[in-house]
Amino acid sequence: MSEIEITRHLYIPEGEPFLEWFDGVFNAVYVALHPFVRVAGENTAPAYLDSTKAEDESNTTYMERRHAEVSRIDRLAKSSGERVPWSKVQADCGLSLANIVHAVFAEISNDPETQDLGRLLKNYCSTNRLFYPCENSFPAILEDRFCDLWEYLNPEEIVISDEFITDTRLVPLAALRTAAPWDQIGLVKFPIKKFYPLDHSFLVATPFDTVYTAICGKRDQLESAGVDDLFEGFWCNEQTTGLWWR
């Protein structure tokens, strides 16, 4: 879409502090944590699909089965799921926010301490029938809350884009008020990673390999929109980076 200007503030920094990166454009960033989720009648935990690839199962069949299960749980989560806050998990397990992130990604870590955290969280989620926070994409269970935020900020239309803004689509806000999750309604044919209006007055983005969404904009507008009530999370300070848990 040629009318969309691509600038650095449409990307989420990793090592550089948020507020330094967005200086002169946004004066606030709110880290919205993706919640743990409970779906009535579903015992699959701690991830969306707690299954092992069968011995005679091809990789293609396994991935198709996994994708179908993720999609099914996402639909249930959006329609009737229960959000379980990180504060509840913190209190019950004695974990910090950073500990929880490390525990979620423990399977890809060689650090014994991280793997211990992972086992603790896995056991807790299995016992309490919780799904882990959604990784790398907008949680289906929060989609209506994002719509509530945007309706307050009131852009006429909003841009949907992928991670690197190579694929985009401009849509009216009404198109995002859907019963099914966004990635299941044929809205776009690319992974949805960012939302922003044509005037670039705010940015809502889910970075790769994370379990949070960055909500970037003007502090007074975001506070007036009730970001603290819509999402569990925290406001970034001058030192907070995109990898704030490290």
Side-chain angles (χ1 to χ4, degrees), residues 74-75 78-79 140-145 147 150-151 160 171-187 192 195:
D74 275 345
R75 288 193 297 273
K78 184 163 186 176
S79 64
I141 200 169
L142 291 183
E143 288 179 358
D144 287 341
R145 293 188 171 229
C147 288
W150 296 326
E151 285 180 359
I160 303 172
V171 300
L173 289 180
L176 298 173
R177 282 287 188 189
T178 60
W182 294 326
D183 65 353
Q184 297 181 35
I185 61 172
L187 190 62
I192 299 173
F195 292 90

Side-chain angles (χ1 to χ4, degrees), residues 8 23-24 28 40 54 56 61 67 86 97 121 126 138 152 155 158 163 168 173 185 190-191 194 198 213 240:
R8 91 178 212 143
D23 184 42
D56 59 347
T61 301
H67 178 73
W86 287 44
L97 295 184
L121 185 63
S126 295
F138 294 94
Y152 182 90
I158 197 164
E163 179 82 12
T168 60
L173 289 180
I185 61 172
F190 53 82
K194 300 177 183 179
L198 286 174
T213 292
T240 310

Side-chain angles (χ1 to χ4, degrees), residues 108-194:
I108 59 175
S109 170
N110 293 320
D111 183 349
E113 182 178 350
T114 298
Q115 291 175 343
D116 286 343
L117 292 172
R119 282 188 288 271
L120 172 63
L121 185 63
K122 182 175 182 178
N123 290 337
Y124 173 81
C125 288
S126 295
T127 299
N128 292 277
R129 296 167 57 187
L130 299 182
F131 293 110
Y132 274 9
C134 177
E135 302 170 23
N136 303 324
S137 61
F138 294 94
I141 200 169
L142 291 183
E143 288 179 358
D144 287 341
R145 293 188 171 229
F146 285 117
C147 288
D148 291 342
L149 171 65
W150 296 326
E151 285 180 359
Y152 182 90
L153 297 175
N154 198 32
E156 290 186 7
E157 294 180 297
I158 197 164
V159 179
I160 303 172
S161 89
D162 63 353
E163 179 82 12
F164 301 106
I165 320 179
T166 53
D167 290 303
T168 60
R169 182 178 173 187
L170 189 63
V171 300
L173 289 180
L176 298 173
R177 282 287 188 189
T178 60
W182 294 326
D183 65 353
Q184 297 181 35
I185 61 172
L187 190 62
V188 293
K189 295 182 179 180
F190 53 82
I192 299 173
K193 301 290 286 183
K194 300 177 183 179

Side-chain angles (χ1 to χ4, degrees), residues 40-57:
E42 297 294 331
N43 295 309
T44 305
Y48 275 125
L49 187 64
D50 189 16
S51 67
T52 304
K53 180 175 174 291
E55 219 172 283
D56 59 347
E57 188 176 29

Side-chain angles (χ1 to χ4, degrees), residues 18-37:
F18 279 115
L19 298 183
E20 181 179 326
W21 178 268
F22 291 128
D23 184 42
V25 181
F26 306 130
N27 65 7
V29 176
Y30 186 84
V31 169
L33 301 169
H34 297 174
F36 290 81
V37 176

Side-chain angles (χ1 to χ4, degrees), residues 6-23:
I6 308 302
T7 63
R8 91 178 212 143
H9 71 260
L10 292 179
Y11 295 90
I12 299 297
E14 287 190 359
E16 189 171 345
F18 279 115
L19 298 183
E20 181 179 326
W21 178 268
F22 291 128
D23 184 42

